[in-house]
Amino acid sequence: MENCIFCKISKGEVPAEIVYQDDEFIAFKDIKPKAPIHILVIPKKHIISINHLSQEDKELMGKMFLLTKEIAEKIKVSKKGYKLVFNVGRGGGQVIDHLHLHLLAGWESTKDRDIPGMP
Ligand code: 5GP
Ligand code: ZN
């Protein structure tokens, strides 16, 4: 998509602090972080929002969640915990019309708060 900033980042046309990338996804630091750690995970495919998903995106979305879990492990926030947010539409706070999952983490915590069964 022309004029989509996240498509431009995924093609390397606009710089970003990339934390992960493969053929289908790219994850990079949010330019205006709303948490001590704020990463955006996006599919390289231009999908506007959750509202625009179709059946053919099933596998892609499954991969996106597993990848996000791996990124959380890599940046060592899995145990302390983190938030995952999709803003959908203007009323939901979405500003960039390219599907992205916010991974927010890094707040102060005295100790890891384990949930039974959590890896
Ligand atoms: P939204 O409100 O659409 O869910 O979130 C868009 C996010 O993208 C915001 O948190 C904003 O700070 C971030 N953002 C917008 N433009 C850029 C950019 O050019 N580079 C990076 N790294 N983040 C961006
Ligand atoms: Zn795009």
Side-chain angles (χ1 to χ4, degrees), residues 71-90:
I71 291 171
E73 283 166 5
K74 185 175 148 192
I75 63 171
K76 302 196 183 313
V77 300
S78 293
K79 281 216 167 175
K80 283 210 166 88
Y82 52 96
K83 290 184 199 294
L84 297 179
V85 177
F86 284 108
N87 293 329
V88 185
R90 296 290 174 266

Side-chain angles (χ1 to χ4, degrees), residues 9 14 17 19-20 25 28-29 35 42 47 51 53 58-60 62 73 82-83 90 92 96 101 107 110 113:
I9 288 173
V14 164
E17 281 193 73
V19 297
Y20 176 87
F25 300 97
F28 52 92
K29 292 187 186 171
I42 73 166
I47 299 168
N51 279 348
L53 287 173
K58 261 185 191 169
E59 195 181 333
L60 188 77
E73 283 166 5
Y82 52 96
K83 290 184 199 294
R90 296 290 174 266
I96 306 287
L101 180 54
W107 300 279
T110 49
R113 297 195 182 94

Side-chain angles (χ1 to χ4, degrees), residues 46-109:
H46 182 84
I47 299 168
I48 297 171
S49 79
I50 289 282
N51 279 348
H52 298 79
L53 287 173
S54 64
Q55 287 295 324
E56 71 171 32
D57 299 316
K58 261 185 191 169
E59 195 181 333
L60 188 77
M61 293 307 290
K63 285 186 192 170
M64 188 169 171
F65 287 126
L66 287 170
L67 169 64
T68 302
K69 180 191 111 162
E70 282 163 20
I71 291 171
E73 283 166 5
K74 185 175 148 192
I75 63 171
K76 302 196 183 313
V77 300
S78 293
K79 281 216 167 175
K80 283 210 166 88
Y82 52 96
K83 290 184 199 294
L84 297 179
V85 177
F86 284 108
N87 293 329
V88 185
R90 296 290 174 266
Q94 184 174 6
V95 174
I96 306 287
D97 292 338
H98 181 130
L99 186 75
H100 50 281
L101 180 54
H102 296 259
L103 191 170
L104 303 145
W107 300 279
E108 281 300 316
S109 168

Side-chain angles (χ1 to χ4, degrees), residues 1-15:
M1 271 297 278
E2 277 174 42
N3 293 325
C4 170
I5 187 78
F6 285 0
C7 280
K8 287 182 180 166
I9 288 173
S10 69
K11 288 182 201 149
E13 294 169 5
V14 164

